[in-house]
Each structure stands twice: as C-alpha cells, then as structure tokens.
Amino acid sequence: MKPGVLKGTRDFLPNQVLKRKYLFNTIEAAFQLYGYLPIETPAMEKLETLAGNYGEDGDRLLFKVLNNGDYLAKADAKDLANKNSKKITHSISKRAMRYDLTVPFTRYVVMHQNDIQFPFKRYQIQPVWRADRPQKGRYQEFYQCDVDVVGSKSLIYEAELVKMYDYVFRKLNLKVLIRINNRKILYGIAEYCGCTNLFDEFTVILDKIDKIGINGVTKELVNIGINENSVDKILECITIKPENCTTGDCIDCGYENSNKVIEQFGEKLGNEMCKVFCLKGKFTEENCSKGLLGIEELELVFKYLYLSYNIENDFEFSLSLARGLNYYTGCIFEVKALNAEMGSIGGGGRYDNLTEKFGGKNLSGIGISFGAERIFDVMEELELFNQIDISLNSKIIFLSMNQECQESAFLTCNYLRIKGVACEIYPEPLKMKKQMKYANERGFQYVGIVGEEERINSKIMLKDMISGEQKMVTGDELIEILK
Amino acid sequence: MKPGVLKGTRDFLPNQVLKRKYLFNTIEAAFQLYGYLPIETPAMEKLETLAGNYGEDGDRLLFKVLNNGDYLAKADAKDLANKNSKKITHSISKRAMRYDLTVPFTRYVVMHQNDIQFPFKRYQIQPVWRADRPQKGRYQEFYQCDVDVVGSKSLIYEAELVKMYDYVFRKLNLKVLIRINNRKILYGIAEYCGCTNLFDEFTVILDKIDKIGINGVTKELVNIGINENSVDKILECITIKPENCTTGDCIDCGYENSNKVIEQFGEKLGNEMCKVFCLKGKFTEENCSKGLLGIEELELVFKYLYLSYNIENDFEFSLSLARGLNYYTGCIFEVKALNAEMGSIGGGGRYDNLTEKFGGKNLSGIGISFGAERIFDVMEELELFNQIDISLNSKIIFLSMNQECQESAFLTCNYLRIKGVACEIYPEPLKMKKQMKYANERGFQYVGIVGEEERINSKIMLKDMISGEQKMVTGDELIEILK
C-alpha cells in the first residue's frame, strides 16, 4: 500500500513542528501576559450543537462522523432507497468535527457558567476541520488561536485586544496594519441612507472596495436594488476625506480635547478620528442613533489606544471593513500583513447574542483570532524563522570507536542528561565515517568522539562541526561548553 | 437547546488545562533531553491506512467520517436496501479518525523516508479517538504521548527508553515499577514446552497471572488445549525462584562478571537477572534458539541499565509480562504506579515489521508510550499537583474608583505588560465590593487599587489578598514585588 495522507491534511516534519511551536508559544505567551486563561473543548461535538450556526454553506462543510455499530438499522428505508443523503445524515451521524472555536466556546460558557467567573477571559488554541476544497494555503485541518472575553460590555477590552495584536506581531517581527471599524456605524450609514433592509448585502459589497473600487461598489449596490438617491448618500459617507484637518486640529468635529494625545500618533490617526467625526456630523439622533452610538464607542476605544503609547504597528479606522460574519454587533477588527501578498491574518469583533442558542442570558463578548496557518506562511515567505533559534535539537552526539568505548560514551551521555544537557549517542560503534555522516545530516553542532585514549582517560574528544576544531575535554568541561 | 458534550468526551476548565500542560511539558522536556524530535500527523487518515491494523475489535472502534456532498449517490442500492452497514461503510466514508499514534507514525516514516535520517528518533503528543464504551477513566478522545526510534536494532535504545520512564516519573514525583520482559523469551518457553502453535493465546493467559494466580493460569492453559506435559513444563519455567543466589552471587548461571555492577542495585536485581539465567539453563540451541537470543538481549539491556547508575524507580525482569499487542518482537515494557489503584500507565516494546504494510523495508523500531490520561488521574488521586505551581494566572488585577482612575490603572497595566509582567484590569469602575468579589473568586494574589489619591500621585495601592496588608507603591516598585 502506498503511504499517503488525505487531501487538505498535512504531516509536519520536526523542523516544521518546531517553527509552529515557536509561533503558538509566542501567541500563547501574549494571551497569558494579558491574563487570559486556557480552555480546551473536544474535537467532536454533537452534530446538533454545530449544525445551523455557519449558514447553509458552513453546514455543508462540517465533517460528520458516522455512528458506530449497525448505523443503518435505524435509518428510514424510503430515504435510503431514494438515496437521500441529506435526510439520512442525521439518522446515521450524531457527531461532527469542530468547525471553529467560537461555537464550542459559547456552548462551553453556558454549560460551565457556574464554574467560571465573569468577565471570563479565555484563550483556545486547537485544530478545526472544514470540508473546504483544498488549495494553496487552505487546509481541511488547521489550527485556530482564539482569545475572547465574555460577560462585559466594557470597551477597554476592544483596546486590550488591539494591543494584543500589536504585541504578538511585534514579537513575531511581522509588520501589520490593524483595521478597526464598528458595525453600528455601518448600520448607521444604512439607516442614514435608507437601506437597512439590505444591510448585510450592503456590508458585503462595501468590504470588497479594495478589490473592485468605488465604481464596482456603486454598480453592485445598484444591482442589489438600492435606489440612486441612497447610493449617492452611501458614496458621500464612504468617501469622506477630512483633508482640512490633517494635523489633528479637529475643533470643527468636536475633537479638541484629544489633541494632545493625538499628537503622539501624528497626522494619520488624527485624520482617522476626524473621519469618524465627519461622519458623526452627518448623523443625528433622529436619522441614526445607532450610528452615533457606534461612533461614541469607537471614540472611547481610540482614546484607550492613545493612552497605550506603546503601539508600534499601524492601526486605523477603516470604514469599509465589514467582516463576513453577521453576528458581530460592535467593533470589528482585521489584520493585514504588510510586505506580503496575503489576505487577512487575523480578525474579530464584539458580539452580543452568541450564547443565546444554548440558553445563555444576554452575555456580551468580544474576541479576536490569529490566523496561525497564514501567519506561518507569511513568516516563511519573509524568512522570519531564519532569525530565530527554534532548534530543540540536542547540540551534541557521541560517537564511539568500539563496544567498550560506547559504554563509556553512554555513561557520559547519562551524566549530561542528569545535568539537564540534551544529548544523543550513536547507537552502534560502526565505522567512524558512517557515524560522522549521520551527525552531519542531523546538523549537530558538536560531536563527542570516544576512542580508546578517551575511554581510558575518561575524556571526550570534542569536535566543532563548523570550525573543525578538536579538543580533549572532561564531562564537566563539556557541560560548561554546551550550556 | 441544552448545552452538552458527547459521552466520552470532555471540556477542560482552565485549571485542568494548566495541570495537563504541566504534565505534557514535563514529558516533552524529557523527550527533548534525550534528543527526540517532534512530529505531527493529521487527525484524519485515509480509512484504508487505519483499517486492518487493530484487529476486528479495533476496526469496529474506529470513528469513520462521512464523505461530504451527496455521499449516498455512489453507494450500492442493494446493500442500502438490505441495510448492510458493514458493506456500505467503505463507499460512504473514506476518512477515519486517528486510533493511535503508531500506525500514522509508520505511515509517516515510509512516506518521508527521504526527508528524515535513520535512526529516526521522534516523539508525538496528540489526541486519538476510539469508539469505546465510555466509563470511568476511559474516554473516546484522549491524548497519547509516544516516543519511538526507528531504523536501528541497537539495544542501547531499550535502556534509553527505560531511563526516560524513570526520568519522567521522577520529575512528576510519581513512584513507579517498570516491568521488563522480552517476547523472544516467551516464545522460547513456548518452543521449549512445545506449544508455539498457541503462542499468542499462551501470552495472553500468562499476562493475567497477577489477577488469576498460578491455578487460574494452569486451568486456562489446559482449556485452550495445551497438553498436560507442556503445561507442567510451562509452570516449571514461570515459577523459577532463584533462591540460592539472592546476593547476585550467580556463578552457577554464568553471571559472575556482572557482580560488581549488580552490587549497586542490591539483591533484587541480582535475583532478577539470576531468574533470566536460570531460564537460560533450561534452554539449548536446539530446543529454543530464539529464547536464548531473547535472554542475551535482556542481558545487554540490563547491563546498560546497570551502567546508568541514576535510575531511582524500581525496575525488574517480569516473566509474566506479555503486552496485548502481538507486533512486539523483542523487549517489552510496562509501567505501574505504586501507591495507586490503576492499571498500566505506560508501555511499549520493540517491533520489527510495522512499516511493512506501507512498503517500508525491514525497519526495526522500538517505542514507549506514556498513558497521559491515567498518569493525570493518578497524580490527581495522590494530590501531586498541589505541590506544583501550575498557575499561569496573572498575580494582580487593577481595580479603579472611577473612570479617570481606570484610565490611570490602564496605563499602569500597560506599563507592567511592556515589562513582561502579567496583569489584568477590572473592566469597569463598579462598586469596589463587586470588583473585590471578582478578584477573590479568581484567586488573585494581589489587587492594585487606583483611587483619586493614587491617580494624582501616579501610584497604586497594593493589597496582599492573603495577609490583607496594604501599601502605596509606584509602578516600578510593583514590578519588583511581582517579579
């Protein structure tokens, strides 16, 4: 039988695992620094828990697990005869593979609400499975890294999560742009322009502005049946360019008090905030109270971000950001890698009703996700791993001239391990050339050779594989060198 | 909808995840110290890769994943009409969940043989899934921790793996007994006693000796059709008690040269080795050459173990140890926790033909497994986690009297995080009592209170939650205290 893996799934070689570990550990360390706690949920959930959460498309992409035993026994004979796959599924499968971490998390929060404290800050780094058509960069099994806080509406978390993005990508040495918007503002625009009935469609089109341009957006808005007058008003909103307040000197739009903090961030952010306030100028309590609320929320989030003087990555208010998932109800985020051709490598936002399916009372939450697989690919592309010592490889392997020498090498090997120094021993006293070849291929930095002379004197001939230098050392000297 | 998980699967609360992480990290650190490298394989494998490896029972316990789309379309109409679950399975499911780590590993080794160096030393810590009936301590999703080396017959690895068991359980502060045997010796006994035709059955019965006693074993041997004469000879072998050589003074059985090293291990091990040699005395080149080979192998393994003077846990030659899996061809191991009611918490052995299914040429391997879930349960039972600081929890949470104070607290919080000190902030300036309640429930060691006085002076009122002591500190003083 020819060995192979399923399409869309991957084996990882040691070097890849080590890089992935470095990535996950960096992300996890940030989660812990910010006080988030780890949870884990099962890979398989009840099908009824997962089904119905991801839209029709998502449901089709769920991997369903066949019931065990004589699973056809209870299946409807007529549906079987008609080969009605859709109808049969629920009678032959009660399990499905985790499709994301969000739904299991909301299930978890409701189920364990008496064992956890709210606000509940959790992170979760686990694989998910999707029956998507495999292609470059898209897998059927991949990791998600989610961090959420549930049980508080405080906007301080919006700022905290943006800061966490900044922190992680700084640690990874990856320059990014963090885009920020608020779904309430988008709803405000829809309200102002009189097209709330087509809100979701409107946001989906808006989200494509970078790809299809302002003309493309106009065309698609008309196509879905938004009238000309509304389209004009939409365009007026989304093309706001506050050119007359480039220095953060935004007295006109009521931002005077924040001038000082804005200064720290320079023109760009001043402009971003002005843009929000220009928009605010269009809205009134009557034509879009929700939009005004969204702007106020964003104002406070930016204030917290200004207070966090240590953000190094770019972040901006981005009116066209919509996020595909319509369960977001407030601030939304998206992260793009600069200097690399790649879609979003992170995203998230605030949601208010996610726990309702499981009977969770009105629990507001907010979370972000790190697109670990894509981040990994970008880091490979930019050769960022080359700058990091990811190796867990032991640095030395012992080679021996004969059986007695090997016993002596084995003793030294034991001694090093007791002292906490990782090391290996070549398993047989074969020809030195063959042992050396293995040491070379494995990439050891040193070899420790034990011949008769070394054995008799309880020493090791230490060879530096890069410089070629050799010297005779004791076990303790060896430990000093390797530590 | 009532939230719940599937039977046999588990959610893990933060505290449980932290304990599990501690356990896995301890095991992983040992693997790395001994120079083993991590690999990962997909959770789902081709059904044909997994099926047929685990016996009929195992095959039934495989979780099979339903094909996506209109999966019934290609299924045989007649088999559907007959509700023939068994026949239909392969036409509606081409994926199965990983049942163990061994089969995926052997698939991996053959598939990547040109990307890895032999001997290939790998470890793998990943979950597996089995449709076993859930019960106390038995789950449908659980972790395995395997470490193997493939591509060498050297017995130095037998010793290395036993030492790794000792190392890990010492680090975990768990006293264990490591039992060692060699399947070749068992085969030798079968050969000597003339019942090689019933070898597998014989070993399964022998393995139960601790439970059913010598009488039970006798009865069952007779039951499976082994004749009286053979049974007598078997009993003679397995009841060897080398009482006349309790001090390792085993000249009669040819062990004189090892006296000195034996001394270090005292009577018990001397006795163990004598037992092997008493057995050797019964065998000849004619009646069981394989048995003699097994004894020689064991002799060398024990010699390496004697050389490793730093083994603290008990280990012994255990003739009745058989291991259920008949792919083992040489040394076998099993670990039992002392001081706890629990079956084996680890096991493994040497195998010679595992890669053959995938076309791998004659690659001998040896591996052991740590039963992480059981080890976890034993450690909980013995309250071993209580002695360890597993907390990743930030030690401090900031509470604030009002909105301005919260901004000040937020700044301090940022400052601490920049300095690498984990901390949290209560998200809203609610009544102090409510904030304190949360801090208490979460178990923070300190709270940092920011009221008007603290805000104006850029300080924090630090309260020790255990002693109740309070003092006013600066951010830098706080970092000193927390670090």
Side-chain angles (χ1 to χ4, degrees):
Chain A
M1 182 183 170
K2 203 176 170 291
V5 297
L6 290 160
K7 254 188 151 181
T9 71
R10 296 164 290 172
D11 279 337
F12 294 107
L13 290 166
N15 204 40
Q16 292 170 306
V17 177
L18 293 173
K19 287 177 186 170
R20 290 169 69 84
K21 270 182 194 290
Y22 172 81
L23 174 58
F24 292 131
N25 289 344
T26 304
I27 294 172
E28 186 170 22
F31 293 166
Q32 290 169 3
L33 184 64
Y34 281 77
Y36 289 76
L37 295 170
I39 71 160
E40 287 181 9
T41 64
M44 293 187 297
E45 293 270 354
K46 290 178 183 176
L47 179 52
E48 63 196 43
T49 298
L50 302 188
N53 289 296
Y54 308 109
E56 211 174 303
D57 275 357
D59 273 8
R60 270 194 298 109
L61 301 184
L62 283 176
F63 278 115
K64 290 143 199 120
V65 178
L66 209 49
N67 294 344
N68 283 80
D70 188 9
Y71 56 87
L72 283 181
K74 285 182 194 159
D76 186 274
K78 211 172 145 195
D79 289 335
L80 278 181
N82 293 334
K83 294 197 168 187
N84 191 330
S85 299
K86 215 167 172 180
K87 272 197 171 170
I88 289 296
T89 300
H90 283 261
S91 66
I92 66 174
S93 161
K94 63 178 181 193
R95 298 176 181 87
M97 308 283 291
R98 187 168 52 209
Y99 179 86
D100 70 1
L101 301 179
T102 306
V103 171
F105 173 55
T106 55
R107 195 256 316 133
Y108 180 104
V109 164
V110 180
M111 192 170 154
H112 302 287
Q113 54 187 304
N114 297 323
D115 304 314
I116 56 184
Q117 289 84 38
F118 294 100
F120 181 55
K121 300 171 76 177
R122 89 84 169 78
Y123 71 84
Q124 195 169 355
I125 301 178
Q126 290 193 284
V128 301
W129 293 267
R130 295 183 185 178
D132 250 321
R133 187 181 299 275
Q135 49 177 264
K136 194 179 169 287
R138 196 202 278 160
Y139 308 102
Q140 296 201 333
E141 171 174 348
F142 58 96
Y143 268 79
Q144 290 197 331
C145 306
D146 280 19
V147 55
D148 287 79
V149 51
V150 155
S152 167
K153 289 183 197 284
S154 169
L155 295 163
I156 211 167
Y157 290 119
E158 268 80 346
E160 185 166 284
L161 294 177
V162 170
K163 286 168 58 52
M164 221 187 308
Y165 267 140
D166 176 67
Y167 182 90
V168 167
F169 289 113
R170 250 194 292 162
K171 289 279 169 192
L172 295 176
N173 214 0
L174 193 60
K175 292 271 166 253
V176 298
L177 166 66
I178 305 164
R179 300 170 70 205
I180 306 171
N181 195 8
N182 190 307
R183 293 274 292 189
K184 290 192 182 82
I185 296 179
L186 294 179
Y187 193 84
I189 294 175
E191 226 176 339
Y192 172 68
C193 307
C195 62
T196 51
N197 57 325
L198 291 166
F199 176 57
D200 283 348
E201 292 85 346
F202 156 61
T203 61
V204 170
I205 293 169
L206 186 61
D207 205 35
K208 293 191 281 189
I209 197 165
D210 285 350
K211 279 187 200 154
I212 62 176
I214 200 81
N215 289 334
V217 167
T218 312
K219 220 159 129 187
E220 293 206 13
L221 289 174
V222 172
N223 278 350
I224 61 166
I226 297 182
N227 69 50
E228 212 174 304
N229 183 32
S230 294
V231 171
D232 282 348
K233 286 179 91 175
I234 290 177
L235 293 181
E236 179 198 320
C237 288
I238 63 176
T239 54
I240 283 174
K241 283 213 180 73
E243 277 164 16
N244 53 345
C245 55
T246 47
T247 57
D249 184 21
C250 311
I251 296 166
D252 292 342
C253 46
Y255 205 61
E256 65 270 38
N257 292 327
S258 302
N259 277 354
K260 279 186 192 157
V261 266
I262 290 179
E263 271 169 37
Q264 299 180 29
F265 283 87
E267 280 181 21
K268 203 178 64 63
L269 270 178
N271 249 333
E272 292 305 328
M273 280 316 291
C274 285
K275 213 161 154 180
V276 187
F277 279 90
C278 293
L279 205 57
K280 193 176 185 175
K282 292 188 188 301
F283 296 169
T284 65
E285 282 293 343
E286 285 68 41
N287 67 15
C288 64
S289 57
K290 207 168 176 181
L292 285 174
L293 184 58
I295 288 170
E296 269 163 36
E297 287 182 5
L298 217 47
E299 184 182 16
L300 194 55
V301 172
F302 273 86
K303 188 171 173 191
Y304 277 119
L305 291 176
Y306 295 147
L307 284 172
S308 325
Y309 43 82
N310 63 320
I311 298 186
E312 281 178 16
N313 280 293
D314 291 338
F315 64 96
E316 64 173 33
F317 165 60
S318 183
L319 189 57
S320 66
L321 176 66
R323 303 286 303 157
L325 300 165
N326 52 24
Y327 57 65
Y328 290 127
T329 52
C331 274
I332 47 179
F333 312 106
E334 194 164 276
V335 183
K336 274 178 183 248
L338 305 177
N339 317 321
E341 287 284 324
M342 179 65 84
S344 126
I345 57 171
R350 181 168 286 278
Y351 43 85
D352 283 316
N353 311 309
L354 272 182
T355 52
E356 261 174 20
K357 174 174 178 177
F358 305 104
K361 39 183 187 197
N362 198 22
L363 278 172
S364 185
I366 178 167
I368 58 172
S369 191
F370 288 79
E373 307 288 347
R374 285 181 165 195
I375 295 171
F376 184 87
D377 288 348
V378 171
M379 290 181 67
E380 283 281 32
E381 190 189 323
L382 301 178
E383 298 184 350
L384 295 179
F385 288 114
N386 298 0
Q387 303 158 26
I388 305 154
D389 180 21
I390 52 132
S391 167
L392 295 172
N393 239 332
S394 31
K395 290 202 191 91
I396 189 168
I397 185 166
F398 291 101
L399 315 181
S400 6
M401 293 292 193
N402 59 39
Q403 187 62 37
E404 284 78 40
C405 293
Q406 191 182 32
E407 282 169 20
S408 169
F410 185 70
L411 275 175
T412 310
C413 194
N414 285 332
Y415 185 64
L416 260 65
R417 286 168 178 167
I418 295 170
K419 299 290 184 183
V421 177
C423 61
E424 297 185 44
I425 180 168
Y426 193 82
E428 275 166 298
L430 302 180
K431 278 189 186 148
M432 198 43 68
K433 205 176 154 192
K434 177 144 196 205
Q435 297 187 57
M436 272 294 195
K437 184 164 175 277
Y438 179 78
N440 254 319
E441 285 173 354
R442 283 280 310 279
F444 286 97
Q445 193 177 341
Y446 298 102
V447 299
I449 302 166
V450 181
E452 275 303 311
E453 198 190 334
E454 288 83 9
R455 184 182 70 83
I456 290 161
N457 297 304
S458 297
K459 293 206 168 177
I460 301 101
M461 181 62 77
L462 179 69
K463 180 174 180 176
D464 184 317
M465 295 293 269
I466 297 159
S467 69
E469 271 172 51
Q470 293 199 164
K471 62 177 165 183
M472 193 96 108
V473 294
T474 65
D476 285 322
E477 285 164 354
L478 191 54
I479 289 169
E480 272 313 302
I481 293 166
L482 294 172
K483 267 195 168 164
Chain B
M1 182 183 168
K2 201 172 173 296
V5 295
L6 290 159
K7 253 187 153 180
T9 71
R10 296 164 289 171
D11 279 337
F12 294 106
L13 290 166
N15 204 40
Q16 291 170 307
V17 177
L18 293 173
K19 287 178 189 171
R20 289 169 70 84
K21 270 181 195 290
Y22 171 81
L23 174 57
F24 291 130
N25 290 344
T26 304
I27 294 172
E28 188 171 20
F31 292 166
Q32 291 169 2
L33 184 65
Y34 281 77
Y36 289 76
L37 294 169
I39 70 160
E40 287 182 9
T41 64
M44 293 187 297
E45 293 270 355
K46 290 179 182 176
L47 179 52
E48 64 197 44
T49 298
L50 302 188
N53 290 295
Y54 308 110
E56 212 175 304
D57 275 357
D59 273 8
R60 270 195 298 110
L61 301 184
L62 283 175
F63 278 114
K64 290 142 200 120
V65 179
L66 209 49
N67 293 344
N68 283 81
D70 187 9
Y71 57 86
L72 283 180
K74 283 183 195 159
D76 186 272
K78 210 171 144 196
D79 289 335
L80 278 180
N82 294 333
K83 295 197 167 189
N84 190 332
S85 300
K86 215 168 173 181
K87 271 198 171 170
I88 288 297
T89 300
H90 282 261
S91 65
I92 65 173
S93 160
K94 63 178 180 195
R95 298 176 180 86
M97 309 284 290
R98 187 169 50 212
Y99 179 88
D100 69 1
L101 302 179
T102 306
V103 172
F105 172 54
T106 54
R107 194 252 322 131
Y108 179 104
V109 164
V110 180
M111 193 169 154
H112 302 287
Q113 55 187 305
N114 296 322
D115 304 314
I116 56 184
Q117 288 82 39
F118 294 100
F120 182 55
K121 301 170 76 177
R122 88 86 170 78
Y123 72 83
Q124 196 171 353
I125 301 178
Q126 291 193 283
V128 301
W129 293 266
R130 295 183 186 178
D132 250 321
R133 186 182 299 275
Q135 50 177 263
K136 192 175 171 293
R138 195 201 279 161
Y139 308 103
Q140 295 201 336
E141 172 176 347
F142 58 96
Y143 268 78
Q144 288 198 331
C145 305
D146 279 19
V147 56
D148 288 79
V149 51
V150 156
S152 168
K153 290 184 197 282
S154 170
L155 295 163
I156 211 167
Y157 290 119
E158 269 77 347
E160 185 166 283
L161 294 177
V162 170
K163 286 170 57 53
M164 221 188 306
Y165 267 141
D166 176 66
Y167 182 89
V168 167
F169 289 113
R170 250 195 291 162
K171 289 280 169 191
L172 295 176
N173 214 0
L174 193 60
K175 292 269 165 256
V176 298
L177 167 66
I178 305 164
R179 299 170 70 205
I180 305 171
N181 196 7
N182 190 308
R183 293 272 293 188
K184 290 191 182 81
I185 296 179
L186 294 179
Y187 193 84
I189 292 176
E191 227 177 338
Y192 172 70
C193 307
C195 61
T196 51
N197 58 323
L198 290 166
F199 176 56
D200 284 347
E201 293 83 346
F202 155 62
T203 61
V204 169
I205 293 169
L206 185 60
D207 205 36
K208 293 191 279 188
I209 197 166
D210 284 349
K211 279 186 200 153
I212 61 176
I214 200 82
N215 289 335
V217 167
T218 311
K219 220 159 130 188
E220 294 206 12
L221 289 175
V222 172
N223 279 350
I224 61 166
I226 296 182
N227 69 51
E228 211 172 306
N229 184 31
S230 293
V231 171
D232 283 348
K233 286 179 91 173
I234 290 177
L235 293 181
E236 178 198 321
C237 288
I238 64 177
T239 55
I240 284 174
K241 284 213 180 75
E243 276 164 17
N244 52 346
C245 55
T246 47
T247 55
D249 184 22
C250 312
I251 297 167
D252 291 344
C253 46
Y255 205 61
E256 64 271 37
N257 292 326
S258 301
N259 277 354
K260 277 185 190 158
V261 265
I262 291 180
E263 270 170 35
Q264 299 180 30
F265 283 86
E267 279 183 22
K268 204 177 65 61
L269 270 177
N271 249 333
E272 292 305 330
M273 281 314 293
C274 285
K275 213 161 155 181
V276 187
F277 280 90
C278 293
L279 206 54
K280 193 175 184 175
K282 292 188 186 301
F283 297 168
T284 65
E285 283 293 343
E286 286 68 42
N287 67 15
C288 65
S289 57
K290 208 169 177 181
L292 284 174
L293 183 58
I295 287 170
E296 268 163 36
E297 287 182 6
L298 217 49
E299 183 182 16
L300 194 54
V301 172
F302 273 87
K303 188 173 175 191
Y304 278 120
L305 291 176
Y306 295 147
L307 284 173
S308 327
Y309 43 81
N310 64 321
I311 298 185
E312 281 179 17
N313 279 293
D314 291 338
F315 65 96
E316 65 173 31
F317 165 61
S318 182
L319 188 57
S320 66
L321 175 66
R323 304 284 302 157
L325 301 164
N326 51 25
Y327 57 65
Y328 289 125
T329 51
C331 274
I332 47 178
F333 313 107
E334 195 165 275
V335 182
K336 276 180 180 243
L338 305 176
N339 317 322
E341 287 284 325
M342 179 66 83
S344 128
I345 56 171
R350 181 168 287 276
Y351 44 84
D352 282 316
N353 312 309
L354 272 182
T355 52
E356 261 175 21
K357 174 174 178 178
F358 305 104
K361 37 177 193 205
N362 198 21
L363 279 170
S364 185
I366 178 167
I368 58 172
S369 192
F370 287 80
E373 308 287 347
R374 285 182 165 193
I375 295 171
F376 184 87
D377 289 348
V378 171
M379 289 182 67
E380 283 281 33
E381 190 190 322
L382 300 178
E383 299 184 348
L384 294 180
F385 288 114
N386 298 1
Q387 303 157 26
I388 304 155
D389 181 20
I390 50 131
S391 167
L392 295 172
N393 239 333
S394 30
K395 290 203 191 92
I396 188 168
I397 185 167
F398 292 100
L399 316 180
S400 5
M401 292 293 193
N402 58 39
Q403 186 62 36
E404 284 79 40
C405 293
Q406 191 182 31
E407 283 169 20
S408 169
F410 185 70
L411 276 174
T412 311
C413 193
N414 285 332
Y415 185 65
L416 259 65
R417 286 169 179 166
I418 294 170
K419 299 289 183 185
V421 177
C423 60
E424 296 185 45
I425 179 168
Y426 193 83
E428 275 166 298
L430 303 179
K431 278 189 184 148
M432 198 42 68
K433 203 176 155 191
K434 177 146 194 203
Q435 297 187 57
M436 273 294 196
K437 184 165 174 278
Y438 179 78
N440 255 319
E441 284 174 353
R442 284 281 308 279
F444 286 97
Q445 193 178 342
Y446 298 102
V447 298
I449 302 165
V450 182
E452 276 302 312
E453 199 190 333
E454 289 83 8
R455 183 181 71 83
I456 290 160
N457 298 304
S458 294
K459 293 206 168 178
I460 302 101
M461 181 60 79
L462 179 69
K463 181 174 180 176
D464 184 318
M465 296 292 270
I466 297 158
S467 70
E469 270 173 50
Q470 293 198 167
K471 61 177 164 183
M472 195 95 108
V473 294
T474 66
D476 284 322
E477 284 166 354
L478 190 53
I479 289 169
E480 271 313 301
I481 293 166
L482 294 172
K483 266 193 169 165

